[in-house]
């Protein structure tokens, strides 16, 4: 039983050529820099919230 399952698993191609091509492409600059901008905005907002809470609670 286990041998049959292993044989089937070995024959399965995990990723098609289209998927491999898509994974090998670099994302456009707008996506790379957009993600960085969103992260920076989130960090600034978190820091501002922490500063505001520090002043409000203490």
């Amino acid at each position: 039983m286990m041998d049959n399952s292993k044989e089937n698993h070995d024959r399965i191609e995990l990723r098609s050529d289209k998927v491999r091509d898509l994974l090998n492409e670099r994302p456009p600059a707008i996506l790379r820099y957009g993600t960085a901008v969103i992260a920076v905005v989130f960090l600034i907002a978190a820091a501002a919230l922490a500063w505001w809470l520090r002043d409000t609670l203490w």
Side-chain angles (χ1 to χ4, degrees):
M1 184 75 177
M2 290 292 284
D3 293 332
N4 190 18
S5 175
K6 174 116 173 85
E7 288 173 9
N8 285 338
H9 179 63
D10 290 341
R11 284 185 291 189
I12 294 174
E13 185 176 350
L14 295 178
R15 293 193 175 103
S16 69
D17 289 335
K18 289 181 182 179
V19 172
R20 274 186 266 157
D21 290 341
L22 184 63
L23 290 174
N24 287 332
E25 287 182 20
R26 263 180 98 181
I30 189 77
L31 288 178
R32 288 193 310 258
Y33 297 124
T35 303
V37 167
I38 290 171
V40 168
V41 168
F42 178 76
L43 289 173
I44 290 172
L49 179 64
W51 180 71
W52 180 73
L53 286 176
R54 179 183 56 102
D55 285 348
T56 304
L57 296 177
W58 283 281

